[in-house]
Amino acid sequence: MTKHRIFSISVASVYPHYIAKAEKKGRTKAEVDDIFRWLTGYSQQQLEGELAQGTNFEDFFAQAPQLNPARSLITGVVCGIRVENIEEPLMRELRYLDKLIDELARGKKMEKILRG
């Protein structure tokens, strides 16, 4: 799958997989939503609106009210690639999200996940 095709996938089509991954490890949809909101600055209502509209990842991140400046503290490996070394900005944002969901599923405390 090319980068362009990845970015054109709707957030809503992947969102249930994030929730399933979290719930399989005893975490909640509310925690997944907390991660989305922390990373992007969307309110819960805005997040639900973007999901309902079928917004793709490119637009989702481009239109984010306030990308969290602390997201640069997110480090580690996702899909065999170090997140902090990803040069393409949109791919880095997507992998930040993946990394946070991975941390949630691994049982990390929300305060640590949200770099508090």
Side-chain angles (χ1 to χ4, degrees):
M1 184 175 287
T2 65
K3 286 182 185 181
H4 178 46
R5 288 192 61 200
I6 291 170
F7 300 150
S8 65
I9 293 172
S10 75
V11 178
S13 68
V14 179
Y15 179 75
H17 299 285
Y18 288 136
I19 294 170
K21 182 174 187 171
E23 288 179 343
K24 189 166 118 179
K25 298 293 187 168
R27 304 308 287 260
T28 66
K29 174 189 176 297
E31 289 173 311
V32 171
D33 288 353
D34 286 347
I35 288 170
F36 270 85
R37 291 192 319 267
W38 178 87
L39 185 62
T40 62
Y42 285 108
S43 68
Q44 186 65 34
Q45 183 177 3
Q46 290 170 318
L47 173 60
E48 290 171 5
E50 296 298 320
L51 294 169
Q53 291 176 33
T55 304
N56 66 39
F57 276 103
E58 184 172 15
D59 293 340
F60 182 78
F61 284 111
Q63 298 167 14
Q66 177 64 51
L67 292 172
N68 194 314
R71 73 193 190 288
S72 64
L73 300 173
I74 301 168
T75 60
V77 178
V78 175
C79 299
I81 299 170
R82 294 208 65 78
V83 177
E84 60 271 25
N85 295 340
I86 298 172
E87 292 185 23
E88 204 287 313
L90 186 53
M91 182 58 77
R92 188 172 48 246
E93 299 302 335
L94 184 57
R95 294 306 183 196
Y96 282 156
L97 178 58
D98 290 343
K99 181 66 177 166
L100 295 176
I101 299 297
D102 285 351
E103 290 176 357
L104 180 68
R106 284 198 329 260
K108 201 168 189 182
K109 292 182 179 184
M110 284 300 289
E111 178 183 305
K112 298 266 188 202
I113 294 169
L114 303 183
R115 306 314 193 249

